[in-house]
Each structure stands twice: as C-alpha cells, then as structure tokens.
Amino acid sequence: MTATPLEKSSERTEAAGSADSLDEYADAEVNFQPRSLKFWTIIIGMYLALFLVALDRLIIATPLAAITNEFGSIEDIGWYGSAYMLTNASFTLIFGRIYKLYSTKWVFLICIGIFEIGSALCGAAPSSTAFILGRAIAGTGAAGVWAGATMLMIPLIPLRKRPVFISMLGMIFAVSSVLGPLVGGSLTDSVSWRWCFYINLPIGSVAILAILIFFRVEPPKCEQMSLPAQLKQLDPLGFAFFAPSMISLILALQWGGSPAFPWSAPRIIGLLVTSVVLFGIFILIQIYTPDTAMAPMRVVLNRSIAGSMFFMFLLSGGMMSIAYYLSVWFQAAQGQSATQAGIRSLPLVLGLTVMGIVFAVVTQKVGYYVPGMLVSPVMASVGAGLLSTINPASGPGAWIGYQSLYGLGIGAGFQTSMLPAQNVLSRADVPMGMSLMFFAQQLGGAIFLSVGQNVFANQLVDDLSGFAGLNPEVIVNTGATDLGKVFLPGEMDVVVGAYSYALTRVFLMSAILSAVKLLGALAVEWKSITKAKGGASAVEEAEAGIGTSEGTSQDAGQESGEKSKV
C-alpha cells in the first residue's frame, strides 16, 4: 500500500529522532493568518471571555457592603467569594478531560454561556441564597473558560508563534486584579452593585458571537462513542473524590484563623483532614485508572509539567497576595481612596506587561522558554523583598520602583511557564496539561491569600497586644479605610504604623515564594519550541503541500480530536 503524505512525514520525523508527529499541529500552520480580520476577531473574543472571568474573582470585593445591606446577610459574606472559588477549583481538572473528548469550540461556548447565566442570576438575585447560587454557577463556567483559552490557540497559532499571544494572558490576569475592585466600586457608587454582574452580559455576548461565527470545527471522532463510554472517559470516580477534597480545603482556608473558627477549631481540623484523605484517594484512582484519569501520572510526573506547576503555584500565590494587599496598604498606610490605590498599583501591571512582551519576543526568537523562568524568581524576589521595606512615609520613588521590579519579574515567568505543557506533551494530552497549570494557578492564589491574611493578622496582634487601650482583634476586623472611625487621632500613628508593618510581612512572604519557585524552573527541560510541533520543518512541509491537503487535515484532526479552519 502506498504511504500517504502524512505517513511519510511521520516517518521522516521519527527518523530524525522526534517522538512527536509534526503533522499533529499541521492545522495551526494553515490556520495562522495574522492579517485576517477573522483571526483577530476570534483572538479578541477569547481575550474578552478571559478578562470577564478573571475580573469576577475580585470585583466582588468592593460591593460586599452594599450587597449585605440590601439582603441583610452579613452572615453569608464569606460565601459570596467562596462559592465562586469552590466550583472554579472543583471543575478545573475535569474540563481537561472534557476538552480532550469534545469540540473545543462548543465546550468553550457552553462555558461562557454558563458563566453568563451565573452572572445574570447574581445581578437579578432576589435573595442572598440566589446570589450565592449565581456565584457558584459563574465559577463553574469560569473554570471551563480558563481551561479552554489556550485550547482555542492550539489549532490557530503554531507553538513557535504562541509566546506573544500567551503573554497577553498574564496581562489580563494582572489588569483584572487591579481593575476588579475599581470597577466594582465605580459601578456600585454610580449605578448599582447589580451592574457589577450585568456588565458581563453584553461583553460576554460579543465573545460568544466572535467564536460562534468565525471559529469553525468539525465534530471530533470521540463524540460517536456511546454515552456510557463517554461518561467513563470523564473519570466520574476521580471527580467524586476530587471535588469534595477541594471544597473542604477552600472552606478551611476561608474560615480558618477567624475569631469564630481559629485554626485549632475541630471544624477546621476536620475539613483539612477530610481534604487530605479525599485527595489521597483521588491520587490512588489516578494511578490505577491511567486511561481515564483527569490527572494521569504520565502527565503530572513529567519533569517539565511538575516543575511548571510548582512554579505557577508559587508565582500565582505571591502575585495575588501582593496585588490584593498592596491595594490595602495604599488605603491603610497612606490614606488613599480605593480608586487612588488602584491607580498607584498600575506600575506592577505595566512592569508585568512590558516584561511579558519582551520575554515573549525573546522566547519566540531563541526558541527556549526556560530563560524567562530563571530570570523571574530573581527579579520578583528582589522586588517583593524591597516592597517589604516600605512604610507610611515612603515616597513614590520607592513604591513605584519596587512594584515595577516585581512586575517585571512576574512578567518574565508567567507566560513562559504556560508553554512547557504545550511543548512536551502530545496534542491529545495538552488539554489535561493546561488544566493542571490553571489548577495550580487557582490553588496557589486561594491558598496564599488565606496564608497572607493570617500572616497579616498575627503580626498585627503581636505588635499591638501590649499597647494600652487598644484591642488588636478590633483592628483585624476593621476595614482599611475605617480605622479613623474606631480609634482616636492620638492613637492613629501607632495603629497605622503597625498596620503597615503587618501588611509588608505579606510582601516578605511573597518574596520567599518568588525565590523558591526557582526550584520549579530548574526542573523544566530545555526543549526548543522551533524544532518540534509546528516548527521550521512543519513550515517547510506546509509550503511544499504536505499536511495542507484536505485528506491530511482530516487525518490530523482525527488524531487530535478536532480540526479547525479560520
């Protein structure tokens, strides 16, 4: 039998010593059309969807008072943030299996739709219970949007061209962290807190239309499987243990350390033990059912994937802590409004954006992503360490320069740490690899925001416990802008000084996290993005007509589970 062009290409690749078929990504060579309006419509639609789900993590912070006042639900305030995080963390990994089995286009659109339904329910909520339900639904959709964003890029953009596009993900993550409280406060003050969620509907609709009209895919072969076979492939047993494990962990982190539930409380200990036991059972399931596992060990234990996950876990934890508590520092230590605090946090975003683009170009030129992951810990740890030295009297030269340096460090490593999963794994395993990366990102932020809160609270109590007439517990539970309402003018210098120092201990924690993530970078394999999976050889073959015919595209699409054309 005469070999097809695809088979000949595969044989040449194997002869060259590559374990991966170049034709596995031949569709990206055909579909990469940066001068096409359709191409950019899809990319911008994807970025809009990502911006909305990233914004929704922190937009809830500012309108909390207005929401609780309307519903009379101060006892539910913890659930308003937790409901979103619980479903987001619980569903992130299973979306890796879903994207592997089904059409990227339709799964992504359904996830945006779920997010929009949750947002609409939040905006129209008649009660606190309905609002919490809306947040949980939105978090479920957000998990799918995060996991699917990179999957949309794979059939559109060759790996060697992808760093610049992925660098935008870091900028979206950082900008949303700063703009979330600002947008929430502006909408709450000028219109209504409900518009913090209604605003998602028109923007999300634009994203849906862009992808629905212009991103074209054929139904993947796996959709022909029987329903029981499809359900088995989704690892229902693993999910049954993973989801409650994440719920228990996040509830423990949300409640633990509060006056009502100290870390030694039986409820907190029980939640932590439950989380560990259930997660242990989940790991055993993944080991003994590798063919249907959400997190197969062949992926998790790959040195580049494990190193990148560790790197992203610490990067996200440190960045979220600084993005959140730096805004609090500006308000508490320097008496700035929420709007001014957001403006003064822009150097971090600008540093992240500039360095993200710089290292995206460098990575694209040299073909290796590890250098960015090595530079990131150095710059970020120094920048965060310097931020830990600021005080209420610090001038713009200090807080602008220090956070800019930290932002440069984050920018060097954020997008580069997303590339190993797309380079060292087969295309069939990329959805699970990317889900693991986003899971590490979400988990790092959730854990270290809670750790940061305890670092701040414990330091504040230690500093003020011996000061006559002051109750440290009252300060811990007082908002950053309300200190003047609780304490006399003569007490404010001491309180603000202690408040500032306690917040900078969180920055010191971020410096330590930034330094330790170097270990993850050192574990990542040096593998070029230009010599495999859509590199120069694939370009030459595409130009020669190999991998661009309808038959070849069909074969490549069946191998990966889908074929897209722009």
Side-chain angles (χ1 to χ4, degrees):
M1 181 180 293
T2 303
T4 65
L6 181 64
E7 292 169 339
K8 291 179 180 178
S9 174
S10 179
E11 289 171 0
R12 288 196 298 271
T13 303
E14 291 174 2
S18 173
D20 300 302
S21 171
L22 294 173
D23 289 302
E24 191 179 24
Y25 289 87
D27 53 345
E29 297 295 341
V30 177
N31 294 327
F32 184 58
Q33 300 176 16
R35 296 182 181 180
S36 165
L37 178 61
K38 294 180 180 180
F39 176 87
W40 285 106
T41 302
I42 295 170
I43 297 300
I44 292 173
M46 179 201 68
Y47 285 149
L48 284 175
L50 278 176
F51 179 73
L52 288 180
V53 300
L55 190 71
D56 234 45
R57 293 173 305 117
L58 293 177
I59 199 172
I60 188 69
T62 313
L64 281 177
I67 296 171
T68 55
N69 287 341
E70 180 168 335
F71 292 144
S73 57
I74 191 67
E75 70 278 2
D76 291 338
I77 194 169
W79 285 103
Y80 296 161
S82 297
Y84 187 83
M85 294 175 60
L86 287 172
T87 52
N88 201 316
S90 299
F91 282 91
T92 296
L93 286 188
I94 198 170
F95 272 111
R97 295 295 302 180
I98 293 173
Y99 277 109
K100 180 176 181 178
L101 293 174
Y102 303 110
S103 164
T104 297
K105 171 182 178 177
W106 293 109
V107 174
F108 193 77
L109 288 174
I110 289 171
C111 289
I112 299 178
I114 294 172
F115 176 78
E116 295 281 84
I117 291 171
S119 298
L121 181 56
C122 287
S127 66
S128 179
T129 301
F131 182 81
I132 293 171
L133 178 61
R135 290 289 288 169
I137 294 172
T140 303
V145 172
W146 274 113
T150 308
M151 300 309 302
L152 284 179
M153 291 186 187
I154 288 175
L156 298 180
I157 307 168
L159 180 60
R160 70 185 190 284
K161 296 287 188 181
R162 219 172 288 159
V164 171
F165 292 89
I166 292 181
S167 69
M168 298 299 291
L169 301 181
M171 186 181 74
I172 289 171
F173 190 78
V175 170
S176 66
S177 298
V178 174
L179 291 184
L182 288 178
V183 173
S186 299
L187 290 174
T188 301
D189 293 338
S190 60
V191 190
S192 165
W193 65 264
R194 295 181 183 274
W195 276 95
C196 296
F197 307 97
Y198 283 145
I199 194 176
N200 294 335
L201 303 182
I203 300 176
S205 297
V206 172
I208 290 174
L209 288 174
I211 296 167
L212 179 64
I213 295 172
F214 297 114
F215 190 91
R216 301 170 188 160
V217 298
E218 295 180 359
K221 183 175 62 177
C222 50
E223 287 189 345
Q224 306 303 317
M225 299 167 59
S226 65
L227 182 59
Q230 293 180 49
L231 292 176
K232 183 179 179 180
Q233 289 294 315
L234 294 177
D235 193 12
L237 183 60
F239 182 74
F241 286 93
F242 176 76
S245 171
M246 291 299 100
I247 290 172
S248 298
L249 174 62
I250 292 177
L251 287 178
L253 293 174
Q254 288 288 304
W255 293 341
S258 66
F261 298 106
W263 289 108
S264 59
R267 177 179 295 187
I268 303 303
I269 294 175
L271 285 170
L272 292 174
V273 171
T274 300
S275 177
V276 171
V277 171
L278 292 179
F279 192 76
I281 297 173
F282 166 73
I283 294 297
L284 291 176
I285 293 172
Q286 304 306 287
I287 293 173
Y288 289 105
T289 58
D291 294 335
T292 59
M294 288 192 294
M297 292 300 106
R298 70 176 184 278
V299 175
V300 176
L301 298 181
N302 179 292
R303 56 177 279 194
S304 294
I305 302 302
S308 297
M309 287 178 61
F310 183 76
F311 184 95
M312 178 59 79
F313 176 75
L314 297 181
L315 182 149
S316 177
M319 183 175 74
M320 286 296 292
S321 297
I322 285 188
Y324 184 88
Y325 286 102
L326 184 61
S327 177
V328 176
W329 183 86
F330 281 124
Q331 295 177 69
Q334 296 196 327
Q336 301 298 322
S337 66
T339 301
Q340 280 297 316
I343 293 173
R344 292 182 176 219
S345 299
L346 287 178
L348 190 155
V349 178
L350 293 175
L352 188 155
T353 304
V354 169
M355 189 60 89
I357 294 173
V358 168
F359 263 92
V361 174
V362 170
T363 301
Q364 201 161 292
K365 293 291 185 182
V366 304
Y368 292 95
Y369 37 72
V370 176
M373 298 179 69
L374 295 176
V375 170
S376 176
V378 177
M379 298 184 71
S381 60
V382 172
L386 290 172
L387 277 173
S388 71
T389 66
I390 59 178
N391 58 66
S394 296
W399 50 261
I400 290 178
Y402 299 164
Q403 65 174 307
S404 297
L405 181 60
Y406 180 75
L408 292 172
I410 294 298
F414 187 92
Q415 87 283 352
T416 51
S417 62
M418 304 291 285
L419 290 170
Q422 303 169 56
N423 193 27
V424 303
L425 300 176
S426 68
R427 184 163 176 173
D429 284 338
V430 168
M432 292 181 289
M434 293 308 300
S435 291
L436 286 167
M437 291 301 300
F438 285 116
F439 171 69
Q441 177 184 321
Q442 297 287 341
L443 191 63
I447 288 178
F448 287 107
L449 273 178
S450 297
V451 172
Q453 171 63 26
N454 281 277
V455 168
F456 161 69
N458 290 334
Q459 183 65 56
L460 190 59
V461 170
D462 288 345
D463 288 347
L464 296 178
S465 59
F467 195 85
L470 291 181
N471 184 349
E473 296 294 341
V474 172
I475 303 173
V476 171
N477 294 307
T478 299
T481 59
D482 293 333
L483 293 175
K485 300 177 182 179
V486 177
F487 302 101
L488 298 174
E491 301 172 331
M492 286 301 295
D493 287 343
V494 175
V495 173
V496 169
Y499 212 99
S500 172
Y501 183 77
L503 286 170
T504 59
R505 298 312 89 192
V506 179
F507 305 157
L508 183 60
M509 177 195 76
S510 294
I512 296 171
L513 296 179
S514 298
V516 175
K517 74 184 182 189
L518 178 64
L519 299 177
L522 293 174
V524 176
E525 177 186 4
W526 286 68
K527 184 175 181 181
S528 175
I529 63 174
T530 62
K531 295 181 180 179
K533 297 191 175 186
S537 298
V539 176
E540 294 168 0
E541 292 181 357
E543 292 175 347
I546 298 176
T548 60
S549 67
E550 185 64 28
T552 299
S553 296
Q554 180 66 30
D555 288 341
Q558 289 178 348
E559 176 69 19
S560 65
E562 69 179 36
K563 175 173 75 69
S564 67
K565 292 181 180 178
V566 179

